């Protein structure tokens, strides 16, 4: 009898384990099928690359600290990779995604399973394709809920809604960038901005499909807002309703209550909205913020905040007062309020011992065009650079080359300082008009306290640059206009409650300083999140070496990384 009981217990335990595995696998495994899909927008139909036939793509929802697996089946026409924007992926750059930086593309007709490792992130992030311009249509939200047994640092909202801001191009996005690179000119603006895939009813043919967010009077909602646009910062607001921003880039902030926000491509924000206005319809609206010389697309995308209940539908729906598109003061007034929550439950640790300091100029440049037949400035082609190096993506991935010791793929000589010192934000100097080209990376030892001072320059076309680093979140300790001054600028640093983020706007003709500990060994892309700038070479790579313990060393590659040979 005793033996039978023992067997029974073992069977029971085994089947419980089986049931638990089944339950877990429902949320931990995702299938992403990349394929061409027909969509109708702005009165015409075209085929776009999607994940699982939807635009935007599916939402991934996890709890803090979980690991998920995403099997990407490429049924499209060309090779593509997927990046998990803002997910640090400790020791696991193999699943980070940027094409030819950490992997070669998943070729059409094949598949690859990403292991996405969440650690300290909590809030909202997003995933997007990281090959050419495919991210225009291949992107979606990542919702990271508090870990089991913990709660938000504010009253739990009644419900939440992801709001993804996007770009819609009437023509094929690959043609937009390929023709720009071929002629050397600026790529075309998008034809509309979108909220959850819809331009909204200020655009023709979009009325019936405008996104509606339904709310109950008196309840508080959390918007998980993502700027997935290709090339434009956005002002965002809801008519008659204040926004309370409580998180950015999956870290909590001291709440900011504001009538509007400014969000750069790559950034995400968690925003509480109280449905406290007379039940009716109100526009949710988003439009460009830009301090660039070339004006942005001037449309406004809208959705509708719709109260549930009985009332007569208004004949005109109120629009929010968005700042005008070049209102830098309005943009700065919001951005300068952003502070980390820095509470007991959500502490921050700002590095104070800096052992690696990089001073990095950001510039739009020219590439000499044979016979001066290009369509950019001076009949040359537009280029872009960091410390005067215009990044050239190698044909096999840097991670593989680094891990396997393959020579000739990249050089470890990315400069720690600009090659020329002059008045960066003053008159343009010819000496810096033409950059050097190459795959130059910066190697940093494990555990270093790193400070990067981004310095905007007045070369060709100054503007705000949303700089993004993979593999880390970092503290934005200071920003200013003009040239960074090594004596006076650091005195303005916020080392108490700087926001912990992954994408920051470097002010036009100004500077921004970030800090982080190099505690994530791997190969990590760093670039401007304006896609045209990244395509022109405003990129570099930071390689963080291994530490001395097993837990501070790069993990070995998974069994089946995509092959680099096929073009
Ligand atoms: Cu959002 Cu390198 O990417
Ligand atoms: Cu830029």
């Amino acid at each position: 009898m005793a033996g039978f009981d023992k067997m029974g217990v073992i069977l029971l335990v085994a089947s419980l384990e089986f049931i638990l595995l089944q339950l877990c696998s429902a949320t931990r495994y995702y299938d992403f099928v990349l394929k061409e899909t027909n969509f109708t927008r702005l009165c015409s139909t075209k085929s776009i690359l999607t994940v699982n036939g939807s635009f935007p793509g599916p939402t991934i929802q996890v709890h803090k600290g979980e690991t998920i697996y995403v099997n990407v089946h490429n049924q499209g026409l060309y090779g593509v990779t997927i990046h998990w924007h803002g997910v640090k992926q400790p020791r696991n750059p193999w699943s980070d995604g940027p094409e030819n930086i950490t992997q070669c593309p998943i070729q059409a007709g094949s598949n690859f399973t990403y292991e996405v490792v969440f650690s300290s992130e909590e809030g909202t992030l997003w995933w997007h394709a990281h090959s050419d311009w495919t991210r225009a249509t291949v992107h979606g939200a990542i919702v990271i809920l508090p870990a089991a047994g913990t709660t938000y640092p504010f009253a739990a909202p009644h419900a939440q809604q992801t709001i993804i801001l996007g770009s819609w191009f009437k023509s094929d996005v690959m043609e937009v960038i390929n023709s720009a690179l071929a002629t050397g000119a600026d790529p075309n603006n998008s034809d509309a901005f979108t909220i959850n895939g819809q331009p909204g009813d200020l655009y023709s043919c979009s009325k019936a499909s405008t996104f509606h967010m339904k709310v109950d009077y008196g309840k508080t909602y959390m918007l998980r807002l993502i700027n997935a646009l290709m090339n434009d910062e956005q002002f965002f607001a809801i008519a008659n309703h204040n926004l309370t921003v409580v998180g950015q880039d999956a870290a909590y902030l001291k709440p900011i209550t504001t009538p509007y926000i400014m969000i750069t491509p790559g950034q995400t924000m968690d925003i509480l909205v109280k449905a406290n206005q007379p039940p009716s319809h109100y526009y949710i609206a988003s439009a460009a913020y830009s301090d660039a010389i070339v004006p942005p697309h001037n449309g406004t995308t809208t959705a509708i905040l719709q109260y549930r209940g009985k009332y007569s539908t208004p004949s005109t729906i109120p629009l929010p007062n968005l700042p005008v598109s070049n209102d830098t003061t309005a943009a700065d007034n919001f951005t300068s309020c952003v502070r980390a929550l820095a509470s007991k439950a959500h502490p921050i640790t700002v590095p104070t011992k800096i052992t690696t300091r990089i001073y990095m100029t950001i510039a739009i440049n020219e590439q000499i065009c044979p016979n001066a037949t290009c369509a950019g400035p001076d009949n040359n082609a537009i280029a872009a650079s960091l410390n005067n190096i215009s990044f050239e993506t190698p044909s096999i991935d840097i991670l593989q080359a680094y891990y396997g010791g393959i020579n000739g793929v990249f050089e470890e000589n990315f400069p720690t300082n600009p090659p020329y010192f002059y008045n960066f934000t003053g008159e343009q100097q010819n000496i810096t008009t033409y950059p050097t080209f190459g795959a130059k990376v910066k190697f940093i030892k494990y555990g270093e306290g790193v400070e990067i001072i981004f310095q905007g320059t007045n070369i060709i076309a100054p503007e705000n640059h949303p700089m993004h680093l993979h593999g880390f979140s970092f503290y934005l300790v200071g920003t200013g206009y003009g040239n960074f001054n090594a004596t006076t600028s650091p005195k303005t640093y916020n080392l108490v409650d700087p926001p912990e983020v992954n994408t920051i706007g470097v002010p036009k003709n100004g500077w921004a300083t970030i800090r982080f500990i190099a505690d994530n060994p791997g190969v990590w892309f760093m670039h401007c999140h304006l896609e045209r700038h990244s395509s022109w070479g405003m990129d570099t790579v930071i390689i963080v070496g291994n530490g001395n313990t097993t837990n501070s060393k790069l993990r070995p590659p998974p069994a089946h990384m995509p092959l680099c040979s096929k073009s």
Side-chain angles (χ1 to χ4, degrees), residues 9-27:
V9 168
I10 288 169
L11 280 176
L12 186 68
V13 169
S15 60
L16 260 179
E17 219 165 52
F18 179 72
I19 290 166
L20 280 173
L21 266 175
Q22 290 287 304
L23 282 174
C24 295
S25 63
T27 54

Side-chain angles (χ1 to χ4, degrees), residues 340 347-351 450 452 473-478 494-502 504 513-517:
I348 61 167
T349 42
V350 189
V450 183
I452 301 177
S473 52
F474 48 73
Y475 296 100
L476 174 62
V477 299
N494 172 9
L495 302 177
V496 177
D497 57 0
E500 185 185 352
V501 289
N502 62 56
I504 48 134
T513 304
I514 65 167
R515 287 185 178 185
F516 60 96
I517 301 289

